[in-house]
Amino acid sequence: MQLSREALLNAYRAMKTIREFEERLHVEIQTGEIAGFTHLYCGQEAVAVGVCAHLGTQDRIVSTHRGHGHCLAKGCDVEGMMKEIWGSREGLCKGKGGSMHIADADKGMLGANGIVGAGAPIAVGAALASRADGPGPDGLNVAIAFSGDGACNQGTTFEAMNLAVVTQAPCIFVFENNHYSEHTGFSYAVGTAQDIASRAQAFGMKAWRADGTDFFAVHDTMREVLAHVRAGGGPVAVEFDTERFFGHFEGDPQRYRGPGELDRIRAERDCLKRFRAAVTAAGLLDHAEIDTLDTEVLDAIEAAVAAARAAARPTAEDVLADVYISY
Amino acid sequence: MTKMMYRDAVLSTIMEEMARDPDVVVLGEDVVGGMGTAGGPEAIGGIWSTSTGLYDRFGPTRVIDTPISESAIIGAAAGLALSGKRPVAELMFADFIGVCLDQLWNQIAKFRYMFGGKTRCPAVIRMAYGAGFNAAAQHSQSVHQILTGMPGLKVVMPATPADVKGLLRTAIRDDDPVIFLEHKALYATSGEVPDDPDFMIPFGHARLTRAGGDVTIVSTGLLLGMCEAAADRLAAEGIGCDVIDLRTTSPLDEEAILDSVEVTGRLIVVDEAPPRCGLAADLRALVAEKAFSSLKAPPLQVTPPHTPIPFARELESAYLPSIDKIEDAVRRVLAWR
Ligand SMILES: Cc1ncc(C[n+]2csc(CCOP(=O)(O)OP(=O)(O)O)c2C)c(N)n1
Ligand SMILES: [Mg+2]
């Protein structure tokens, strides 16, 4: 763990922000105030934060239907996101996109995506743009394709991996293996010997695997990965083993889970608990300062929800704004 | 007659046809649900509850749960159909045709004609379509506009549980590819369904659901109910609307539309797809050509605007056709000249 105190505090704050953002949405969705389909990222925070901690604004990411964590970790505004999810015209996408389509290109966040498998080719394009721009002082800017274990079965993902290899695009395929695609288990849907990384290797790229519930494992892996890609080593894949704490979407009865599974993963595989235990045991941070961060984050989420509730609603005229052409 | 929900009409028809014909097979994402999990197969039987129990009854060779791979699903349906089976493939959301368009458009739709009539491709592709859930631009679309324009596909859009029963049975027994579009907002609606195990509704036969004589309103699927509601409101003022449910957009029952317009002289097409190059434009051209001398007003369309589907509640409801918008269109055609 060669991280500064500041970096540790930032990482914890970022993970906790995602956690509380999602926990709060889980509650708010039950009131019926929030419309549409929402897929919560709870449980996977260490992946988004451990990956994005290494990125600058010029590095780009492409996300999935489960995108809130990636957006927050890449620097999207908490309040702007909350307003978007509430469907306000003050939201990051003016209420046009909602939970599944949050984007902020200025932050290098090229969009959550409702189409499983659509993201990886877009990330290759972003990586080819970086390749065309050439390296800066720290090497090449990179593009990250976040995909789930389910998305790794989509032809678009395969095509993207191959295109990245043949063009040596500075693209990083991050596979978040949370063991489920909707209600189907990873062991049924992915035909290779229980892993995605080896599949990526078969396309001719280096691949890594790490525990996605351990922030330090993610962070260390990504340090190596980024050194390789920024130096012009071509595309790579990383598979993170992780957990999703809620249903596939809000409202999912989750009858596919085993008895006690949710309690067990919350107890043993919670990246926030593991982070706190590791940094306090090593004497890097103490419980009191982490508790202070917890309070700060909760206050920020509370403020974002209040702002989203009070934010301006879109009007019928807004339907016709931002179209290429109308009739 | 048995009262049942639209979604149960889908499920029971597939169940009955699978029992009747061993060549009928089902495939799609999560159509079994729970494969490879602790909960096991059927832990969750399909996200629309339109395949619950099929796997338990007919087993893994006839009920195939697939990974997230729409091109392979629709391509496999093509191969199954060319090999003597009657696949009923499910696309979870109609929007996902974007992923597998080649298999639908360049493959399934073309085999019979392109191979000189020597092959048949009896595939049914079911998909849930339609807005109203704030599911935003990639999970709300009405795709009949695109698919109806493809020579080789039959396109079915049932509006009631009875029509699901009669049209889905026809679709499964049909020797050509059929796109079967189920509106998400209709799944939980109920209606009386005939018990006859061979109850079928032929394609290309529209249904007149209101007879009024002043204005012809043509629609399909969910919006049919809005047209009927508008017609009922207007009837109270003495304005009579013919409401026609097309049932299938291909084949098209031209006669039903023309017969009505020859009496009313006024046509309004109400459609959930965008306004350009779609069903509404097509039907308006039809009456302009074939019922020109009967027309008393320009044929109108009530559709969403030419934009993607917005997320927020206020935006989506402003975007969609409504009873008020239909009523307004009726008043406009009546006020013409
Ligand atoms: C092309 C396409 N097919 C199917 C779906 C429906 N769907 C949404 S999320 C999902 C499962 C995705 O699983 P995974 O990639 O593992 O991501 P996770 O949900 O676990 O984050 C499915 C099948 C979709 N949105 N897009
Ligand atoms: Mg998954």
Side-chain angles (χ1 to χ4, degrees), chain B residues 254-275:
Chain B
E254 294 189 3
E255 216 177 282
I257 300 165
L258 294 172
D259 284 352
S260 171
V261 171
E262 270 153 24
V263 175
T264 63
R266 301 176 183 96
L267 173 72
I268 296 166
V269 186
V270 180
D271 194 19
E272 206 178 312

Side-chain angles (χ1 to χ4, degrees), chain B residues 51-63:
Chain B
S51 52
T52 317
L54 295 178
Y55 181 87
D56 281 348
R57 180 151 173 208
F58 301 106
T61 56
R62 293 184 62 200
V63 184

